[in-house]
């Protein structure tokens, strides 16, 4: 008797790969990884070897991926209520919502922390862990559904990446990486609140107390503007602690662009201006990080 083994088509395997990749939020992970590399670049000290740089990059990326997947695992019920997230793999059933995923996430995080500990040092490994912990546990489990200030504390995830990169070079952590960590901390709220204003109805329907849901879009937009101004001022502080003119130009241009877009949002709170502010936040951070790297190389 002839039997036929059914195999998934190339298209279905490709779709499975895309679903798995989307689970780990790699776009966010790559951005966080870059902030860690910038923290390394701006920190004075002996240069890391290529293997150490790769371990730093991959450990931060894996830790972020673990936290991102955990966020989707925990939030899959509320994700189905939001237009922005209703096509995520756990929501649609493209990937089974099974506890085995938690084991994989734990293994990824443990591997990331262990690699950073062995190849770099304990301080760098601690910050790799804290970045994932603050996003996965502090933000997702403890704060997201309890307070409109949830993303403020959750923003520490990016700050810890900067500190992980800096600690890989010098565990003592000088003022410059601390100031860049402050910049990342202050960047997250206006970045995310801008997006939350654009998607306010989604968060309201899902019962998530994001700031625009609690105080309204007008008040939230004014808070975005005030937060962006604070971010802009903080981004100039590294100039007093060794950052050079290239960094200064990047901080000035990127910061003013973000302030202008957030001012437009405060004047006219709407989805279009909110998305303009959101994209301006990405431009501001990108310009700042590139300028910081170029500045470090020229020094």
């Amino acid at each position: 008797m002839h039997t036929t083994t059914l195999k998934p088509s190339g298209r279905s395997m490709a779709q499975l790969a895309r679903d798995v990749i989307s689970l780990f939020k790699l776009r966010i992970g790559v951005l966080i990884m870059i902030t860690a590399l910038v923290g390394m670049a701006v920190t004075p000290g002996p240069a890391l070897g290529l293997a150490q740089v790769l371990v730093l990059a991959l450990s931060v990326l894996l830790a972020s991926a673990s936290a991102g997947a955990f966020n989707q695992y925990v939030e899959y019920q509320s994700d189905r209520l939001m237009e922005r997230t209703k096509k995520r793999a756990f929501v649609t059933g493209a990937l089974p919502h099974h506890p085995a995923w938690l084991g994989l996430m734990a293994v990824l995080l443990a591997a990331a922390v262990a690699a950073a500990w062995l190849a770099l040092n304990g301080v760098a490994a601690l910050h790799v862990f804290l970045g994932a912990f603050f996003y996965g546990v502090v933000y997702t489990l403890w704060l997201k559904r309890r307070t409109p200030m949830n993303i403020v504390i959750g923003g520490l995830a990016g700050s810890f990446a900067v500190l992980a990169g800096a600690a890989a070079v010098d565990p003592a952590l000088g003022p410059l990486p601390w100031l860049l960590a402050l910049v990342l901390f202050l960047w997250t709220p206006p970045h995310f609140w801008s997006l939350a204003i654009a998607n306010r109805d989604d968060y309201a329907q899902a019962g998530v107390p994001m700031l625009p849901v609690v105080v309204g879009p007008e008040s939230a937009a004014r808070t975005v503007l005030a937060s962006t101004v604070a971010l802009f001022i903080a981004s100039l502080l590294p100039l007093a602690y060794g950052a050079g003119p290239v960094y200064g130009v990047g901080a000035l241009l990127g910061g003013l662009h973000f302030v202008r877009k957030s001012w437009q949002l405060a004047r006219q709170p709407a989805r279009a201006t909110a998305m303009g502010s959101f994209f301006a936040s990405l431009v501001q951070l990108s310009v700042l990080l590139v300028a910081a790297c170029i500045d470090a190389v020229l020094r």
Side-chain angles (χ1 to χ4, degrees), residues 82-281:
M82 299 175 61
E83 189 68 29
R84 186 172 65 89
T85 57
K86 69 180 184 180
K87 293 183 179 180
R88 286 178 172 175
F90 283 145
V91 177
T92 63
L95 295 177
H97 189 263
H98 191 279
W101 286 107
L102 295 175
L104 176 60
M105 297 166 203
V107 168
L108 287 177
L109 180 57
V113 173
W117 187 294
L118 293 173
L120 302 170
N121 56 65
V123 178
L126 175 63
H127 286 102
V128 169
F129 169 77
L130 288 175
F133 177 79
F134 265 77
Y135 184 75
V137 177
V138 176
Y139 168 67
T140 301
L141 287 184
W142 295 350
L143 298 178
K144 186 171 182 179
R145 295 186 169 277
R146 291 190 172 101
T147 170
M149 295 292 105
N150 46 26
I151 199 61
V152 175
I153 306 301
L156 283 170
S159 300
F160 284 123
V162 173
L163 297 177
V169 177
D170 181 6
L173 294 175
L176 195 53
W178 278 112
L179 287 173
L180 286 178
L182 173 64
V183 169
L184 263 294
F185 175 70
L186 294 175
W187 175 82
T188 304
H191 162 76
F192 201 88
W193 284 334
S194 296
L195 184 64
I197 291 172
N199 295 284
R200 178 178 176 270
D201 292 343
D202 267 2
Y203 285 111
Q205 184 172 329
V208 179
M210 287 297 175
L211 188 67
V213 175
V214 175
V215 304
E218 293 81 9
S219 180
R222 291 192 295 270
T223 304
V224 168
L225 175 58
S227 301
T228 305
V229 171
L231 165 65
F232 175 55
I233 295 171
S235 72
L236 299 176
L237 294 179
L239 292 170
Y241 292 90
V246 175
Y247 173 85
V249 171
L252 188 66
L253 294 179
L256 288 176
H257 176 62
F258 192 8
V259 169
R260 183 173 68 90
K261 289 296 186 178
S262 64
W263 178 71
Q264 291 175 352
L265 172 60
R267 287 188 62 197
Q268 186 179 4
R271 178 174 176 80
T273 52
M275 292 305 296
S277 179
F278 171 76
F279 288 122
S281 71

Side-chain angles (χ1 to χ4, degrees), residues 3-9:
T3 59
T4 302
T5 302
L6 295 177
K7 296 181 179 180
S9 67

